Amino acid sequence: MSSTSQSLYYRVLPPHSLLAPYIGCYWVLRAEANHSARRELILPDGYAELILNYGEPYTWKNPARQAERTIESVHLVGERDTSILVDIPSGLNQVGVKFKPAGLFTLLRQPLSELVNQMVSPDELGDSSLRLLGEQVFDASTEAAKIVVLNTFFLRRLLVVEAPDPLVEKALRMILEQQGNLRIDDLKDVLGVHYKTLERRFKTYVGLTPKVFARVVRFKHTYKRFHAVATKDPAFFLDLGYYDQNHFIKDFKYFLHTTPTAYLRQRQAVSDEIVRRGLADRALG
């Protein structure tokens, strides 16, 4: 998938087939010199991410946690349970890796619970291989060559990975198949495990708790449906796991910082261009 404008270029590229269970996609994003700097709202989407930044620094803001950070080069983005604001300047030039749930832990062995709602550099992680990867991708002259470098790096990691935790794999599969619309008590009962055991292992591999991850997945699905059916069926959210209108509005305000009514009224003014271009609008797999 790709999207271009006079000043903004965005393209999604698939990983090697052997990496598909762990990596959702690679992506390339460039903001040309004539691009007007703007602020984008990026929803949580159930993915952790590696971003290789080669252009201008950009700023990441988490209003819910009053956190802000300026990013200049290579960094990992952990799973998020809140939306962030990203200032996209002219001259931005990035290559990214979207990891499927548990993919980052499997390939890089980074405990995801320590990365939730965080952006960290390779130096902070003590992982010089990611810094070297960033240099190799930068030196590759074409998009295709950059993807080859990424595939080669992660395929080598794949040779030494441990088998995924079957409990976490099954829990993830159930949450994703139900698009987040399930009771956590039902989840643990089907798995035949105490919730604290499931939560501890889930947080290591995914970062979030099963309950919070399901909430993120449910709202992501709801947000996609909202654009298509909200004006035709104002109560559509009742089929997606929300108890009532107040429950839906509470989640909507938490993730989008506005009400559904205000959002529909100001849809073109809401800063979610990157969401629409695909960074947070891919189906979780």
Side-chain angles (χ1 to χ4, degrees), residues 48-53 58 60 67-80 84 99 104 108-128 130-131:
E49 203 161 14
L50 172 66
I51 299 179
L52 313 173
N53 189 47
Y58 75 107
W60 174 88
E68 179 176 330
R69 184 163 182 174
T70 298
I71 307 299
E72 296 183 357
S73 56
V74 179
H75 54 289
L76 279 171
V77 182
E79 288 272 12
R80 293 182 290 109
I84 61 171
F99 294 98
L104 177 58
L108 298 182
R109 306 308 293 178
Q110 294 293 339
L112 270 292
S113 58
E114 299 175 9
L115 299 179
V116 172
N117 294 309
Q118 299 294 320
M119 280 189 169
V120 295
S121 69
D123 291 341
E124 291 171 308
L125 292 171
D127 189 344
S128 60
L130 293 179
R131 181 75 62 191

Side-chain angles (χ1 to χ4, degrees), residues 21-22 45-47 79 99-106 112 164-182 184 187-188 191 198 201-214 217 284-285:
Y22 312 101
D45 62 1
Y47 290 96
E79 288 272 12
F99 294 98
K100 289 187 176 181
L104 177 58
F105 179 85
T106 302
L112 270 292
D165 185 314
L167 178 65
V168 175
E169 288 285 293
K170 189 171 182 179
L172 278 170
R173 186 164 57 251
M174 290 179 63
I175 292 172
L176 295 172
E177 285 176 352
Q178 297 298 317
Q179 297 174 319
N181 183 10
L182 79 174
I184 299 303
L187 176 65
K188 70 177 182 61
L191 296 174
L198 174 62
R201 288 159 67 173
F202 202 92
K203 285 175 69 175
T204 296
Y205 277 80
V206 180
L208 306 174
T209 67
K211 183 176 182 179
V212 173
F213 182 77
V217 172
L284 286 162

Side-chain angles (χ1 to χ4, degrees), residues 226-234 264 267:
F226 179 80
H227 284 280
V229 304
T231 56
K232 303 173 185 176
D233 180 12
L264 285 173
R267 181 179 297 185

